[in-house]
Amino acid sequence: MGPKIRASAVERYFGTQSDRVHALGPLDLEIEQGEFVCIVGPSGCGKSTFLRMVAGLINPSAGTVEIDAKTDQPTAMVFQDYSIYPWKKVLDNVRFGLDLAGVPKKEGNERARSYLAKLGLADREKSYPATLSGGMKQRVAIARALAVEPEILLMDEPFAALDAQMRQILQEELLALWQADQRTVLFITHSLDEAILLGDRVLVMSSRPGRIIASKKVPFPRPRRGDVRNTAEFAALQGELWDLLRHEVEAHLADIGSK
Amino acid sequence: MVSPHLQAQAVAETDRIESQAKLVREARGIDKDPVGYARRRRILFTILGFGVPILILGFWQIAAQNGWINAKFYPSPLDNLRQLRQMFDKRDFASDLGLTLKRLAWGWLWGSLSGVVFAYVLGMSRVVRAAFEPTLNALYTVPKIALLTPFLIIFGFKDKPVIILISVTVFFFVWVPTQAGVMSVSESYREAATSFGANGWQMFRHVIWPATLPGLFVTLRVAASVSVLSVIGIEFAYAPRSKGLGYVINTARQTFEPRIAYAGIFVAALIGVIFQAIVKQVGHLVVRWEKDDRGAPTV
Ligand SMILES: Nc1ncnc2c1ncn2[C@@H]1O[C@H](COP(=O)(O)OP(=O)(O)OP(=O)(O)O)[C@@H](O)[C@H]1O
Ligand SMILES: [Mg+2]
C-alpha cells in the first residue's frame, strides 16, 4: 500500500511576471495512512500554501500531490481564523460538512452533537457564534472538521489565536480524539512544543521558497499526554528542531535585510 | 518667567491627569438590567420617532393658525387632513391611491426580484459577469424616465408600461449594491465551504445568501423609497386612466390648489414610511444572528 499523501516535485508560484513570488518547493514528501505529521517553518515559507493544495483549494504550479482517497471529499480543514459562519448556530456550523455531503439532518444532528459533546460545547449548540469566546469558536471549527470524519484532517495553526491554557486544553483534547480513531493529520504550527507533543513526525521547512529540510520522528509512545514535556528527550528534540529553525529564520531575516 | 500660554497648557494638562485618575468603570443601566434597558430604549426611541414629526406638525399648525406663515401656500396640517377627507369623498381619491399602490407594489416586486437574481448570478459567475455587465452598465446610465415614451408605445397606454418602468428603475438600485455585496463576501467564508466540497448551489445557499442578507434588506428598503419616487414621477408624466397619486398632485399644480398637492405629498410620504418599515421589520425577522440597530442582543 502506498502512502496516503505523496507530493512529488511540487512547486507553487504566485503573481505574474515582475511580482512573481516563488512560494513553495520543489517539495517531495510522503505521509503514511494514520500518521500525525506536524509542519514547522519560518513565516511565509509556504506551509499554508501546501495545506491548501492538499485541501484542493489551489493547485501546484508544477509537480503533483497525490492523495490515496477512498471518498470524493477526503479532507477537512480547520482554519486559523476559524471561518465558522456567524449566521449558523453552533450545531448548524458543526453539521455544515455533513449537510454538504447530503447526510440526512437527523443523523447529521446526532453526529454533530456527539462531537460538540467531545469538545465540551454540548450546552452551546443553540448559540450564535457572536456570543462565543475565541476558544469556543475554534472548538466549533474543530468539531466541524471532525464531524465529517475525514480521511485526512488538515489543521493550519488551529490554536495560534488562543491563550496558553486554552491551547493546552485543546491539545490534550485533540490528542485524546486522535488516539481514539487514528486519522491522517497534517498540522501546521509555530510552536515546537506543540509539534513534538502531537506529532509522530515533525517536518521542518526552509524559508521561502519552502522545502523540507528535516524530518524528525518523535520517539514518544502513544497514548501520549501533556506530561511528556517534562522528559529530557523532549527538551533535546526541541533544542535540535530549534537549531534547525533558527538557522532558517536568521537566513530569512538576512535575506529581507539585504533587499 | 513662564508665559501665560504655557501656564494655561500646564493647567489644562493637570486637569486632564486628574480627571483621568478619576475614571471609573462600573455597571450602568444597560449592564445591570439588559432586558429592561432594551425595552426602555425601544419605548424611548418610539416616542422620539413619533414625537419629532408630531412636534414639527404641531408647530406648523400653530404657525399657520396665527398667520406667521401664509396658510394659502402652506396650509396647516389640520387643513390638509380636511382636504384629504374631501378628496376621498368627492373625487374618489381611494381609487387613485389604490392604483398607485398597485403600480408601486408590482414595480418594486419585479424590479427587486430581477435585481436580486442578476446580482447573485453575475456576482457568482465571472463568465456571466463578463458577458452581461458592460451592457447593463450602459443601460444603467440611461435616464429611465425617457423610456416612458417607447414603453407606452410598445406596451400600450395602460398600467403595464408604468410598472415596467418602475421595475427597471428599481432593478438598478438593487442590482448594483447587491452584486457588490455578493462579490465582497469574505474569501475565508468561501474557502471554508470549498474545503468541505461545496458545489455552486450549496455555496449560494449556505454562504453567499446568508452573508449578503443583511445588506440585501438595506437595499430593498432603498428600493422601496425609490419605487415610491418613481411611481409619483411617472404619474406626473403619464398616468393611465388619468388616475394616481402623482396625477392628483400634478393636476393640483395646473388648477392652482396647493392644498391638494400637500395632501398628496403627505400621503406619498406616509406610503414611503410604512413601506420601508415593513421591509425593515421583515429584515429583523429574517436576520436573527445580528444585533439590531437598537443594540438589543438577539437570542
Ligand atoms: N493568494 C496569494 N497571492 C499571492 N501570494 C501569496 C498568496 N498566498 C500566499 N502567498 C505568498 O506565498 C508565500 C507563502 O505563503 P503561506 O501563506 O503559505 O506562508 P506560511 O508558511 O503559511 O506563513 P505563516 O506561517 O506566516 O502563516 C508568502 O510569501 C505569501 O506572500
Ligand atoms: Mg500560514
Side-chain angles (χ1 to χ4, degrees), chain B residues 133-152:
Chain B
E133 202 171 35
T135 315
L136 284 172
N137 278 333
L139 294 176
Y140 188 17
T141 48
V142 172
K144 306 299 168 296
I145 190 78
L147 295 173
L148 183 59
T149 308
F151 279 10
L152 285 170

Side-chain angles (χ1 to χ4, degrees), chain A residues 44 46-49 80 156-157 188 190:
Chain A
K47 303 182 293 294
S48 300
T49 303
Q80 179 171 357
D156 191 351
E157 299 184 42
I188 294 178
H190 274 124

